[in-house]
Amino acid sequence: MPTDPYAVLRALLRAEARRSAPPRPEDTNQRPPGPAKEEGR
């Protein structure tokens, strides 16, 4: 169990902030393309 009882709450807040934030154009241009997903699975 984490020693900091608020660690989970902070992680949830960070995840929600990332999810609700609009995508930044400089981030989308610098990311390398991910691996191609196979359609047959």
Side-chain angles (χ1 to χ4, degrees), residues 1-14:
M1 183 146 191
T3 57
D4 183 4
Y6 294 104
V8 174
L9 294 176
R10 283 198 302 271
L12 288 172
L13 285 171
R14 281 194 305 267

Side-chain angles (χ1 to χ4, degrees), residues 9-29:
L9 294 176
R10 283 198 302 271
L12 288 172
L13 285 171
R14 281 194 305 267
E16 177 63 22
R18 256 187 243 121
R19 187 183 70 81
S20 61
R24 296 187 307 187
E26 65 270 8
D27 282 352
T28 56
N29 291 339

